[in-house]
Amino acid sequence: MDLSQICLNKSTCNKFGNIRKVTSKPTAMTNEVIQSSHEDGTFDYDLAVIGGGSGGLACAKEAVNQGAKVAVLDFVTASPQGTKWGLGGTCVNVGCIPKKLMHQAALLGESIHEAVAYGWQVPDVNKIKIDWAALTESVQNHIKSVNWVTRVDLRDKKIEYINGLGEFKDPHTIVATLKNGSKKELTAKNIVIAVGGRPHYPDIPGAKEYCISSDDIFSLGYPPGKTLVVGAGYIGLECAGFLNSLGYSATVLVRSVPLRGFDQQMAAAVTSEMEQKGVTFHHRTVPLSVEKLDNGQLKARWLNTETQQQSEDVFDTVLLATGRYALTKALNLEAAGVTCLSENGKIVAATEQTNVAHIYAVGDVLEGRPELTPVAIHAGRLLARRVFAGAPHHMDYENVATTIFTPLEYGCVGLSEEAATERYGADNIEVYHAYYKPTEFFIPQRNIRNCYLKAVALRAAPQRILGLHFVGPVAGEIIQGFAAAVKCGITMEQLMSTVGIHPTVAEEFTRLNITKRSGQDPNPASCCS
């Protein structure tokens, strides 16, 4: 039986969310939750998800597990350079997955050169170079396999997949524009907006005509060559890092500070390492224009906002990483009565519920939430359990761990030193820190000056840890385990009483004992000190 047909049963109505008539039409932004009803009280689906990325798919699959009838709408509009991709959203196609594979390729290149010092006989190591076409083919083959598995999974779970661009007709009706231009209309009792975002293009001459973004780099049909990266957020630094390590000269324009929102001491360590590896940084600069030359190269001009000096250089590729915007404009949210939008078009919803009771949002489209795939997945699953199973649990957006996959990785969880100082006051926090020597950096002798970690804690005993930060090898793998400890309220007393695994870089957290306040030297005397 169609679940929508048994809604007159009171217990079922409570399970799937009560619906009442609209009492008034919203005319301005409001946080008031509005209840609404379809005319005859029946719907094609219990849940429709607009957006086939990680958060939307997780919500859809969990809803099916709870007995709901579900449809997923997903459509990828081509980038200005014509790049498109399949089902799965940003992470799978043009985000986390291809980025990590490119990062791994870069690390392998470094390892080949270091292998000689360990005794491996590598003939003509100086002639080793990356085959860009082979790399991108391997990456894209993996992505396509994930696209296929995702579609099969939806079919197996009997989730209807609609390859169409969805928009609201009314609070319960969605119109999908299909690839051939035809329209498909459907109704749903509950709707989840999970459309994510796309790269922002600065309003300068030549930006959309000649530049690429992270939407394009992982399937670029030619070696990028000498590359200018505009922007120093995590996407810009990660791309500049792996391009440089793959042998393509990289230059980064930094508008204000690198890795805005992250601990700035750690950000400085990341950029310092990148500079020592050959990446060029131009600080306090904004792009002015990009011009295509007769030989196909690109002339980029930029302005130093402090000195007002203009500079220019010629590149083979210009990659824009100047932020992302939410894809809400195309949704016709006015027709649904959704008004809880921020100035930049993101949805403001404290518990994923918008001002319209049956319309929700998860993932990058939400204002003030971490733009991270695991966050969207977890929030989507919890939302489905609340809506369709009456579960009480909400997403906890505090203490979410993340990692920047730059050549020397940066992993963190919790508050930065700046944020902790602002929240609790400088006199009420204690910062433990240390430089360390990874054993794997001894042969050959690699630069260790940026291998650094710190714990930000409350000063009062037992010194609950507010944030952990680590720059070094496999930072993502290390910070994941400590993230669980921070989530459980670990203190410095507990951390310092933990016995580390030697010789690992992760054990350095268990050896923290020097505070910044003490003024002592945080450099180790030896690997075992």
Side-chain angles (χ1 to χ4, degrees), residues 447-500:
N447 172 47
I448 61 170
R449 62 184 296 184
N450 296 309
C451 293
Y452 178 75
L453 74 159
K454 68 180 173 182
V456 182
L458 291 175
R459 191 177 181 188
Q463 297 191 310
R464 179 170 63 87
I465 295 175
L466 305 172
L468 292 175
H469 302 266
F470 181 93
V471 171
V474 294
E477 308 297 338
I478 291 164
I479 210 68
Q480 180 65 79
F482 286 105
V486 170
K487 200 78 173 175
C488 293
I490 189 173
T491 66
M492 284 303 302
E493 291 180 7
Q494 292 169 329
L495 184 62
M496 288 189 284
S497 67
T498 301
V499 177

Side-chain angles (χ1 to χ4, degrees), residues 90-322:
T90 298
C91 174
V92 166
N93 294 282
V94 290
C96 320
I97 301 302
K99 174 270 300 291
K100 184 69 181 296
L101 294 173
M102 292 288 197
H103 176 61
Q104 176 66 11
L107 294 179
L108 287 173
E110 294 180 357
S111 296
I112 292 172
H113 287 83
E114 293 175 358
V116 176
Y118 279 94
W120 285 97
Q121 297 181 14
V122 182
D124 245 338
V125 67
N126 292 324
K127 290 186 178 180
I128 293 174
K129 62 179 182 179
I130 193 74
D131 183 335
W132 178 263
L135 172 60
T136 53
E137 181 181 10
S138 295
V139 169
Q140 292 304 310
N141 284 343
H142 173 69
I143 290 172
K144 289 171 184 174
S145 72
V146 177
N147 296 150
W148 171 251
V149 169
T150 304
R151 291 195 63 171
V152 170
D153 194 29
L154 293 185
R155 183 189 64 195
D156 290 346
K157 291 182 180 297
K158 295 182 172 52
I159 297 173
E160 182 171 358
Y161 166 54
I162 301 170
N163 186 203
L165 188 64
E167 63 177 308
F168 285 94
K169 179 180 179 180
D170 62 46
H172 284 283
T173 306
I174 299 171
V175 178
T177 302
L178 307 183
K179 188 176 181 180
N180 61 8
S182 64
K183 306 284 186 179
K184 179 180 177 68
E185 192 170 298
L186 60 97
T187 61
K189 189 170 186 179
N190 299 281
I191 298 171
V192 170
I193 300 168
V195 293
R198 294 291 288 273
H200 168 262
Y201 280 73
D203 186 18
I204 60 170
K208 291 188 175 180
E209 295 86 348
Y210 308 126
C211 301
I212 67 170
S213 71
S214 56
D215 281 354
D216 311 291
I217 186 65
F218 304 112
S219 59
L220 197 64
Y222 54 86
K226 181 181 177 182
T227 302
L228 175 67
V229 176
V230 182
Y234 73 94
I235 294 174
L237 293 192
E238 287 176 338
C239 289
F242 71 67
L243 287 174
N244 181 72
S245 295
L246 292 173
Y248 305 111
S249 171
T251 298
V252 179
L253 298 187
V254 186
R255 180 177 62 87
S256 53
V257 295
L259 297 179
R260 176 179 290 278
F262 289 88
D263 189 287
Q264 284 302 292
Q265 185 182 11
M266 311 310 284
V270 167
T271 55
S272 173
E273 180 73 16
M274 291 178 68
E275 285 181 313
Q276 288 161 26
K277 287 182 176 291
V279 178
T280 299
F281 286 86
H282 294 296
H283 295 273
R284 301 294 177 182
T285 54
V286 294
L288 296 176
S289 64
V290 178
E291 171 190 356
K292 192 167 188 176
L293 304 177
D294 292 339
N295 65 0
Q297 289 185 297
L298 303 175
K299 180 190 286 186
R301 296 172 54 247
W302 59 88
L303 172 71
N304 184 302
T305 56
E306 289 185 334
T307 66
Q308 297 303 303
Q309 180 179 351
Q310 293 188 22
S311 302
E312 65 180 43
D313 200 354
V314 175
F315 300 89
D316 300 302
T317 301
V318 176
L319 189 156
L320 300 175
T322 53

